[in-house]
Amino acid sequence: MYDGKITDVPGIEVGHAQDFDAKTGCTVIISREGAVGGVDVRGSAPGTRETDLMRPMNLVERVHAVVLCGGSAFGLAAASGVMRYLEEQGIGFDTGVAKVPIVAGAVIFDLGYGDWRVRPDERMGYEACLNASTGDVPQGSVGAGTGATVGKILGMEGCMKGGVGTSSIRLPGGIVVGAIVVVNALGDVVEPGTGRILAGARDPKTGKFINTWKFILEGNAIKDAEAGNTTIGVVATNAYLTKEQANKVAAMAHDGLALTIRPVHTMLDGDTLFVLSTGEIECDVNVIGTAAAEAIARAVVNAVENA
């Protein structure tokens, strides 16, 4: 496992809430002072909230929270609880009439693993905020990673547990780049560099890894029956980024998924990564983007190794 966590970035808090019996949950990442936000959606089956707001041409620059949820599109309801909590704390975009918390979000599909009738809701989103802190971040089968699975090319009978993972990288000049991801991928999770499969699709008869990448290259089609995937996450840094730079870093951060998930960004994945910039330390955006990809890759490994 890799050291570090996204809460090593000053001003970032993380909280989990979950229903272990129903096997679903949510994870909230809070920036009480607001953070310049960016996003990049690469998967073709996303479930998201407030992504358009983060485009460089749009008005609002600062995001107050990102919520990562199970429950497919139903789980976006957890964002209402996050908004309620932040409003009670006096946090939000000042419209002159009321402060409106800016809460972005993305979901994974975990309805096929636990009790599909139970999904993250407003209560669970609020509970995750109450649990938020700047300290240690539990990893594995908690929060939004409670019902996460990976390696579903043969269906649920051949998959393994995914989960939530975090990491951080310290750069010269006091810059920190942290990441948190919820790994619920169609593909296998591999060790960067070696390609060794850490978690993925297993042959239901032998229990051995089938190697999803190779399985597809042998001409086996990905069927709609394997729908229900997605890896979502957040990169945070105390480096100064403009809104446009935050979007570029989000795009570069997806390289970390490509290093660790095979295949990734399929038609049946909704892979989405957000970026939050909380600080004023100047740094080359290429450095931050490269560190973001590395932090994401490490967080993916931590997710499955803790699951």
Side-chain angles (χ1 to χ4, degrees):
M1 293 186 295
Y2 295 98
D3 293 330
K5 54 193 182 298
I6 193 172
T7 51
D8 293 334
V9 178
I12 294 295
E13 303 173 33
V14 172
H16 297 308
Q18 59 280 312
D19 184 324
F20 288 120
D21 293 329
K23 297 181 174 62
T24 193
C26 66
T27 297
V28 64
I29 299 90
I30 297 175
S31 174
R32 292 177 185 268
E33 300 300 319
V36 175
V39 67
D40 191 277
V41 181
R42 293 286 178 90
S44 296
T48 58
R49 169 193 165 100
E50 296 284 34
T51 51
D52 282 347
L53 176 146
M54 296 189 186
R55 305 302 178 196
M57 73 286 290
N58 291 335
L59 174 65
V60 176
E61 287 203 354
R62 293 194 167 266
V63 177
H64 303 103
V66 177
V67 59
L68 309 175
C69 304
S72 189
F74 296 110
L76 289 172
S80 296
V82 179
M83 287 194 70
R84 177 162 64 90
Y85 173 84
L86 293 174
E87 183 182 26
E88 290 174 356
Q89 302 298 310
I91 297 169
F93 176 74
D94 194 347
T95 65
V97 178
K99 287 187 176 181
V100 180
I102 305 301
V103 179
V107 298
I108 66 167
F109 185 99
D110 58 5
L111 303 181
Y113 181 63
D115 186 345
W116 64 270
R117 296 164 297 184
V118 178
R119 310 110 180 198
D121 54 13
E122 181 177 351
R123 177 198 57 78
M124 189 178 285
Y126 190 89
E127 181 183 350
C129 293
L130 294 177
N131 293 335
S133 76
T134 59
D136 192 31
V137 180
Q139 301 181 76
S141 298
V142 295
T146 302
T149 51
V150 298
K152 285 164 276 190
I153 191 72
L154 298 180
M156 293 300 290
E157 64 272 17
C159 73
M160 291 180 64
K161 276 295 286 124
V164 61
T166 187
S167 73
S168 69
I169 296 173
R170 295 185 181 274
L171 301 174
I175 292 174
V176 184
V177 179
I180 188 167
V181 292
V182 182
V183 185
N184 188 62
L186 173 79
D188 302 329
V189 174
V190 303
E191 185 177 59
T194 70
R196 180 174 65 92
I197 298 175
L198 302 175
R202 292 181 181 271
D203 186 316
K205 295 180 180 179
T206 66
K208 295 180 179 180
F209 290 121
I210 68 161
N211 191 327
T212 299
W213 183 267
K214 181 180 179 181
F215 185 76
I216 294 171
L217 291 179
E218 289 172 346
N220 296 288
I222 301 175
K223 301 176 182 179
D224 289 344
E226 285 82 48
N229 315 284
T230 288
T231 298
I232 55 179
V234 177
V235 171
T237 181
N238 60 343
Y240 170 77
L241 297 174
T242 65
K243 200 173 181 183
E244 189 156 3
Q245 288 173 330
N247 277 272
K248 178 60 178 176
V249 170
M252 294 179 71
H254 275 276
D255 291 348
L257 299 184
L259 287 169
T260 51
I261 300 173
R262 296 182 182 174
V264 72
H265 305 145
T266 73
M267 291 296 293
L268 300 176
D269 286 282
D271 307 318
T272 301
L273 294 179
F274 297 92
V275 167
L276 301 175
S277 167
T278 65
E280 298 296 332
I281 306 174
E282 296 285 347
C283 187
D284 183 350
V285 67
N286 297 294
V287 174
I288 301 301
T290 302
E294 178 67 18
I296 285 287
R298 294 182 182 186
V300 170
V301 171
N302 283 344
V304 298
E305 290 195 339
N306 282 279

